[in-house]
Amino acid sequence: MKYTDAHCHITAPLCDSNIIAQICNTTTEADWEKLIEIANDQTRICIGIHPWYIQTATDGWVERMYKILQSNPHIMVGEIGIDKYHPDIDKQIELFITQLEIAIELNRPAHLHIVGAWDKLLHILGKYKKLPPIIVHGFNGNRDIMSQIANRDIYFSYKLRDSRISDTARIAVATKILVESDCDTCANQLQILTKTTREMARMRGMPVAELNEQINQNFQRVINYV
Ligand SMILES: [Zn+2]
């Protein structure tokens, strides 16, 4: 079977012939240029400032981010978000909204890291009528949160952690599921994608090849958006 990785931090082209495409995310501005160099049809990239690294933002980052996105129509926005377990939530929210609004204005999919901040995310997303596809990486919200955002163009990306996947993987709408490794090296990427897809197929009571095909279609829909 051939897999797609909806969220990783690998800074190289595809690692394995069984992985047909990947979306590589950045966490600080220092990585943007590095990733732009490896971007191609199979390795799609996102630029952004991660909520853990907001202190790395330097003067002029918004203009630089905007300019790169404007001149590279296939680049997406990420990894951006809000993480309750990391400091300075107000500043995190400020940077998140700035980057989300760039994604909305330039109509680029945005890759989100949300931990313990679902109420804040729901409040923020509620302000925008039209959103580009939003990919929530490592989705760990509950069923109630999933149901509150299910009517938007939001994708739920899963990864096996401690041999388990969030229970919402059972009920997520098939056309909104993605699988990710969140790896920063090639070492375990394929293994994580394989195990996650297999466990999710078991949870959903469906053949793994059928689920994998659906996941790959969902992945293509996201990257074909830009
Ligand atoms: Zn990540």
Side-chain angles (χ1 to χ4, degrees), residues 7 9 79 137 182:
H7 183 99
H9 294 273
E79 172 174 358
H137 115 79
D182 205 12

Side-chain angles (χ1 to χ4, degrees), residues 31-63:
D31 296 332
W32 296 352
E33 289 298 332
K34 214 185 307 173
L35 270 204
I36 291 169
E37 283 170 22
I38 63 153
N40 60 33
D41 285 350
Q42 293 77 37
T43 296
R44 305 298 288 262
I45 68 159
C46 311
I47 63 167
I49 299 180
H50 190 286
W52 296 356
Y53 303 104
I54 51 170
Q55 74 285 358
T56 66
T58 52
D59 277 356
W61 73 270
V62 178
E63 291 72 22

Side-chain angles (χ1 to χ4, degrees), residues 93-224:
I93 291 173
E94 185 194 317
L95 263 73
F96 172 62
I97 291 175
T98 300
Q99 297 180 93
L100 180 67
E101 290 189 344
I102 292 176
I104 293 170
E105 187 187 333
L106 297 177
N107 210 18
R108 306 297 165 84
H111 296 251
L112 269 49
H113 170 109
I114 303 293
V115 177
W118 295 105
D119 52 337
K120 293 183 172 61
L121 178 72
L122 295 177
H123 178 74
I124 292 166
L125 293 183
K127 293 182 196 164
Y128 306 102
K129 276 206 176 69
K130 190 173 165 7
L131 291 169
I134 301 279
I135 299 87
V136 185
H137 115 79
F139 181 70
N140 63 358
N142 59 29
R143 289 175 177 230
D144 179 47
I145 287 155
M146 180 175 262
S147 71
Q148 288 189 60
I149 49 180
N151 62 337
R152 313 291 310 251
D153 193 10
I154 292 182
Y155 289 79
F156 303 95
S157 180
Y158 290 95
K159 176 192 172 182
L160 194 69
R161 284 180 210 275
D162 303 325
S163 310
R164 292 193 66 245
I165 300 180
S166 162
D167 181 56
T168 56
R170 289 179 201 280
I171 55 150
V173 175
T175 53
K176 295 296 179 66
I177 298 173
L178 295 166
V179 161
E180 66 177 62
S181 73
D182 205 12
C183 282
D184 45 21
T185 70
C186 291
N188 298 318
Q189 188 187 20
L190 179 63
Q191 198 188 22
I192 294 170
L193 299 175
T194 309
K195 285 186 171 175
T196 302
T197 308
R198 202 184 300 144
E199 172 61 9
M200 202 187 300
R202 189 195 65 76
M203 288 167 77
R204 295 174 70 92
M206 65 189 293
V208 63
E210 192 183 313
L211 176 64
N212 189 53
E213 176 56 29
Q214 177 71 60
I215 289 167
N216 289 347
Q217 281 177 24
N218 299 344
F219 180 99
Q220 290 300 334
R221 202 178 315 117
V222 171
I223 64 168
N224 288 345

